[in-house]
Amino acid sequence: MTVDIDYVELLTQAKKASEFSYCPYSNFPVGACVLYESKKIYTGSNVENVSYGLTLCAERNAISTAIAQGEKTKIKAIAIYSPKQVDCLPCGACRQWISEFAADDNTKIILEDENKKPYVLSLKELFPYGFKFN
Ligand code: THU
């Protein structure tokens, strides 16, 4: 399914979400904005916990929000942003989560480069051999 992807707008929304981050332990805010085939977007920020391992990443927060709000279509793109890190790549757990709900291998992962321009990768590039169960 063809859906126009506005990379700059998705990054802008990810940036806004990073401002809501709860990260008193790492002081490393992250925001994510996920675009679905429905053309709806959902945002999330990282939420840390005094028991560090319970921390929720921004990407999984955004995807969980989409599910909780009844989203049934697949992910076309996800933008990820941290004010502390150029090209803020998703962790391995978040790559597996994105893969679970991705439209296909061409689903886009959008980061911001050192010139503040969108830097776009495909899920296939970032997560070529994910776990499958069949
Ligand atoms: N973090 C994310 O939100 N997404 C990732 O893909 C990697 C890491 C968060 C978790 C933690 O709150 C902070 O970044 C530092 O690891």
Side-chain angles (χ1 to χ4, degrees):
M1 180 186 289
T2 311
V3 174
D4 287 340
I5 305 174
D6 184 338
Y7 298 131
V8 173
E9 174 60 15
L10 294 181
L11 272 173
T12 299
Q13 295 303 325
K15 268 181 212 183
K16 279 189 194 165
S18 74
E19 291 168 16
F20 300 132
S21 163
Y22 175 75
C23 58
Y25 306 105
S26 72
N27 197 26
F28 188 91
V30 184
C33 179
V34 60
L35 170 71
Y36 282 78
E37 289 170 335
S38 62
K39 301 184 181 162
K40 289 186 189 157
I41 63 167
Y42 304 86
T43 57
S45 54
N46 55 331
V47 182
E48 297 187 344
N49 191 273
V50 64
S51 177
Y52 294 175
L54 301 182
T55 290
L56 176 62
C57 289
E59 300 91 317
R60 281 178 284 149
N61 193 352
I63 294 169
S64 299
T65 298
I67 296 294
Q69 293 189 11
E71 183 58 62
K72 302 287 187 216
T73 70
K74 298 290 187 181
I75 296 175
K76 292 300 285 183
I78 182 166
I80 306 158
Y81 175 83
S82 173
K84 295 285 182 75
Q85 176 73 53
V86 164
D87 293 336
C88 184
L89 288 154
C91 75
C94 288
R95 293 179 200 199
Q96 183 77 49
W97 262 61
I98 295 164
S99 161
E100 179 82 17
F101 299 106
D104 52 46
D105 278 351
N106 197 35
T107 286
K108 304 296 188 199
I109 289 139
I110 305 153
L111 316 172
E112 190 176 78
D113 73 12
E114 63 276 12
N115 300 314
K116 302 203 175 299
K117 300 282 181 222
Y119 176 65
V120 184
L121 294 158
S122 69
L123 183 60
K124 192 177 189 174
E125 286 174 289
L126 270 187
F127 197 58
Y129 298 109
F131 175 70
K132 287 195 175 71
F133 181 78
N134 50 25

